[in-house]
Amino acid sequence: MSTNTIVVGCQWGDEGKGKVVDLLAEKADAIARFQGGANAGHTVLVGDKKYILHLIPSGIIYPDKLCYIGNGVVLDPFGLLEEIELLRTQGIDTNGRLFISSAANLVLPYHKLIDSIEEKKRGGDGIGTTLRGIGPAYRDKVSRNGIRLCDIFAPDSLKQKLEHNRKIKQEYFAGCDDDRADTAKIFDDLQRLAPLFEPMMTNVSLDLQRLHREGKCILFEGAQGALLDIDLGSYPYTTSSNTTVGGAMTGLGISPKMIDEIVGIVKAYTTRVGSGPFPTELVDQTGNELREIGGEYGAATGRPRRTGWLDLVVLRHACRINGVEKIAVTKLDVLDRFSTIKVCTAYKLGDREMAELPLNPAALWDVKPVYRDFPGWNSTTAGIDKFEGLPENARKYLSFIADDLGVEICLISTGARRNETILV
Ligand code: IMP
């Protein structure tokens, strides 16, 4: 029996999903992305080669895997072709094994323009988006003004849809001398690209069901993390999609019954990129050290990530809403040199101690973390290949986390390379 696994981020994204998906993909026949867009940056290091994937599932690095982009993804068609070309120059051929849902909504140049205009308008209260047009594209989808992949093959109606979008976006486009607002140019460009997309377009739901019936193993790859979920995250400082397991059902057209195993990815500390509350954030030397040792700079935007200690309140929420039974703990080695490592076990709001997230995420600005201190292990964990081989204090740290969350640890990552991994 094949096991279909879904991988989801349990924090604010950048948990190291790229590496874990790459490892799990070895045993999978197909890998499917279900939400988000080119706001994601999944890094995979194989030998000396580094691949950064934004839209294409990380499984593409293996020459024989099928990769799917579901209807829940917002697809930048120009960005995707660049990504395919970059992979080609790195020796990876996507031909005949990368497929896209005909119902995927497109991120068009005007979405990026609107994203940047809106961020500017928000001034100091900006969300700190990746400026990849994600929010405006999902908004068009929900308000039913979106242009989907299948639309680029129907030129007359595509023209009408683009014209309609030009009219309703006048508030943004008026007086704007930016060719990203030029819908006639977008029409021509999409017409030019259409033949390249035709062989990739498919009904992802049907394809995955067929593979499942044939006993093939499917890996579902989430992007971003639970706290960035549009419904269940730290709203409004979130992305615009469901980053949690539910997003896979609607974003691929599959039944929950197709999923056998839910793996949550947990970085051994916490990071966040962009604005929004972050209760365990460290704006001091320790925070800088975490950033530098962990190489915490955005894979999509290069922005320095905010850093802080592990937050169990966040993780309890993430594990519950996703039904996580197993976690993969990444970047344990980044903590190797800290003499004391803190874990947030609860929040304090005034006199009240809370073990779960507050009802209104705005209160996350005001909560104070309650910490439990763990002695560090002051030795290197890189290259250790068995849980028992880890320093005792590292084992205690990991066991405490797993016990609190009521989950098993299935994998520990101690470096970016494939072999710097402990399979538990
Ligand atoms: P957007 O998804 O570009 O609209 O950005 C909304 C928020 O989500 C911002 O705070 C981004 O920094 C954050 N975000 C989006 N994608 C990622 C990601 O892949 N990793 C980490 N943060 C992300």
Side-chain angles (χ1 to χ4, degrees):
M1 263 293 280
S2 66
T3 303
N4 296 334
T5 303
I6 180 166
V7 170
V8 285
C10 288
Q11 291 147 318
W12 274 283
D14 307 319
E15 295 92 352
K17 291 178 293 294
K19 170 174 169 175
V20 177
V21 169
D22 172 61
L23 289 168
L24 298 179
E26 192 183 358
K27 292 210 173 82
D29 299 290
I31 300 91
R33 260 284 299 270
F34 52 87
Q35 47 69 231
N39 48 352
H42 294 166
T43 308
V44 182
L45 201 64
V46 183
D48 292 335
K49 281 195 176 168
K50 187 176 183 175
Y51 305 91
I52 299 183
L53 299 153
H54 299 290
L55 278 162
I56 302 178
S58 308
I60 202 77
I61 313 293
Y62 294 91
D64 55 342
K65 311 290 177 193
L66 299 175
C67 289
Y68 290 89
I69 296 177
N71 58 279
V73 171
V74 282
L75 183 90
D76 172 354
F78 308 100
L80 182 80
L81 292 178
E82 278 171 24
E83 208 170 312
I84 290 173
E85 177 55 19
L86 184 63
L87 282 174
R88 199 189 58 75
T89 62
Q90 292 180 295
I92 294 183
D93 185 8
T94 60
N95 260 327
R97 58 193 193 91
L98 174 62
F99 300 100
I100 309 166
S101 165
S102 56
N105 273 255
L106 301 185
V107 177
L108 295 173
Y110 53 69
H111 291 123
K112 296 185 196 174
L113 173 65
I114 294 171
D115 204 354
S116 56
I117 292 174
E118 290 192 334
E119 275 293 275
K120 268 193 208 119
K121 278 193 186 157
R122 288 189 189 109
D125 291 331
I127 288 168
T129 75
T130 59
L131 302 179
R132 299 288 159 99
I134 306 298
Y138 275 116
R139 184 167 65 214
D140 274 355
K141 165 179 168 169
V142 173
S143 57
R144 283 137 304 159
N145 292 312
I147 292 178
R148 313 208 292 182
L149 184 60
C150 54
D151 293 326
I152 70 174
F153 303 95
D156 291 342
S157 95
L158 175 65
K159 206 172 241 169
Q160 273 175 16
K161 285 178 180 170
L162 282 167
E163 179 56 17
H164 176 65
N165 271 284
R166 194 185 61 75
K167 282 189 193 143
I168 60 172
K169 292 177 172 54
Q170 265 316 303
E171 154 196 9
Y172 296 98
F173 296 173
C176 167
D177 183 24
D178 189 314
D179 72 355
R180 289 179 292 179
D182 184 346
T183 49
K185 179 176 184 308
I186 294 173
F187 175 81
D188 290 343
D189 288 344
L190 289 176
Q191 289 301 284
R192 199 169 33 81
L193 299 191
L196 301 174
F197 278 92
E198 199 171 4
M200 292 190 268
M201 192 172 73
T202 192
N203 181 329
V204 169
S205 167
L206 274 177
D207 287 5
L208 294 180
Q209 188 188 49
R210 179 180 43 79
L211 289 171
H212 183 54
R213 286 194 175 147
E214 287 169 1
K216 298 283 192 321
C217 173
I218 307 167
L219 181 62
F220 302 100
E221 176 178 2
Q224 291 89 40
L227 272 284
L228 289 173
D229 186 286
I230 182 72
D231 287 292
L232 302 162
S234 51
Y235 190 87
Y237 299 96
T238 60
T239 190
S240 306
S241 64
N242 287 117
T243 59
T244 43
V245 285
M249 315 305 130
T250 54
L252 291 165
I254 58 161
S255 157
K257 290 183 181 162
M258 207 190 267
I259 293 180
D260 304 303
E261 185 179 65
I262 301 166
V263 175
I265 314 298
V266 174
K267 192 171 348 194
Y269 48 98
T270 311
T271 61
R272 170 162 209 175
V273 60
S275 319
F278 180 177
T280 62
E281 182 170 16
L282 294 165
V283 281
D284 57 8
Q285 188 48 29
T286 309
N288 290 340
E289 279 175 39
L290 278 173
R291 182 177 312 105
E292 293 315 314
I293 301 170
E296 297 295 352
Y297 292 87
T301 59
R303 291 181 289 177
R305 295 179 187 140
R306 299 157 66 195
T307 51
W309 295 121
L310 192 86
D311 186 338
L312 284 175
V313 182
V314 159
L315 293 177
R316 284 177 203 132
H317 174 76
C319 287
R320 188 183 65 258
I321 62 181
N322 281 301
V324 166
E325 294 147 347
K326 293 182 179 177
I327 57 171
V329 180
T330 60
K331 293 192 146 185
L332 183 70
D333 55 302
V334 174
L335 298 180
D336 283 354
R337 296 186 223 163
F338 291 86
S339 52
T340 301
I341 297 162
K342 290 176 185 280
V343 174
C344 168
T345 55
Y347 296 152
K348 266 213 144 172
L349 188 62
D351 292 338
R352 206 153 58 91
E353 194 162 306
M354 44 177 86
E356 298 293 340
L357 291 178
L359 291 179
N360 183 347
L364 283 174
W365 289 109
D366 302 317
V367 297
K368 299 275 173 282
V370 176
Y371 283 119
R372 172 159 169 172
D373 287 4
F374 286 82
W377 42 92
N378 286 312
S379 60
T380 179
T381 54
I384 296 174
D385 57 6
K386 290 206 171 47
F387 185 77
E388 297 69 34
L390 286 171
E392 189 186 357
N393 286 348
R395 278 186 277 132
K396 280 187 181 160
Y397 179 70
L398 293 169
S399 300
F400 178 77
I401 297 163
D403 288 350
D404 183 278
L405 299 174
V407 298
E408 268 175 43
I409 296 178
C410 61
L411 184 154
I412 300 159
S413 168
T414 57
R417 283 166 215 289
R418 281 177 175 166
N419 61 357
E420 291 170 321
T421 306
I422 300 170
L423 293 173
V424 186

